[in-house]
Amino acid sequence: MSSRDSSTELSVDAGIKGRRILLVEDSPVVGPFTAEILGDLGFEVVGPAPNMAAARKLVEGEPIDAAIMDVHIRGERVFPLCDALEARNVPFVLTSGYADWQMPDKWEDRPRLNKPYTIGEIEDALGGLLSG
């Protein structure tokens, strides 16, 4: 069952629909909700990975076109995953519900989504990553 009215039109560019998006999110509410939004937007969801071990397996073993990752996963930071994705030229968006992101300088310029984020913000972020 969709979390939105069935008359809602989603405007992701047809050229990026079907792309595989890694979702790294440990919240049992936010993870499935975001996965549903990604599916409704026409993306294929890889995950959601609820911990770093699961996320590492997906990064190493799955084709991924882009990623959306919470900065804090069960007490760990996702920055090692950022390195792994960068090595594979996979673009990513970082998310957080914390006001103070405490980002390493290396990742300071990466796209970010503050929680709670909207469908439009996900569309814009992924559209910017994948259509460039």
Side-chain angles (χ1 to χ4, degrees):
M1 176 175 217
S2 177
S3 58
R4 286 172 308 287
D5 182 303
S6 62
S7 66
T8 301
E9 286 194 31
L10 303 174
S11 60
V12 168
D13 177 13
I16 64 172
K17 284 188 177 182
R19 299 280 186 94
R20 294 174 54 85
I21 308 300
L22 171 66
L23 175 58
V24 180
E25 175 59 65
D26 59 352
S27 167
V29 174
V30 176
F33 179 73
T34 304
E36 181 179 357
I37 289 172
L38 291 169
D40 287 351
L41 289 170
F43 295 109
E44 184 177 335
V45 180
V46 178
N51 57 54
M52 290 294 287
R56 275 192 284 285
K57 279 185 178 181
L58 292 173
V59 167
E60 293 168 2
E62 293 287 332
I64 299 166
D65 295 305
I68 296 179
M69 302 185 296
D70 188 351
V71 172
H72 299 95
I73 299 294
R74 306 225 181 245
E76 295 183 68
R77 303 273 181 130
V78 297
F79 304 130
L81 294 177
C82 295
D83 291 326
L85 291 170
E86 182 181 57
R88 291 178 53 191
N89 294 314
V90 174
F92 56 87
V93 175
L94 297 170
T95 71
S96 180
Y98 295 105
D100 181 10
W101 284 68
Q102 298 179 342
M103 297 290 290
D105 291 341
K106 182 176 184 178
W107 306 121
E108 192 64 37
D109 64 340
R110 292 297 170 142
R112 303 179 192 185
L113 293 175
N114 291 311
K115 293 180 187 176
Y117 39 77
T118 67
I119 295 166
E121 289 171 329
I122 291 173
E123 282 183 288
D124 291 345
L126 290 175
L129 289 179
L130 295 170
S131 62

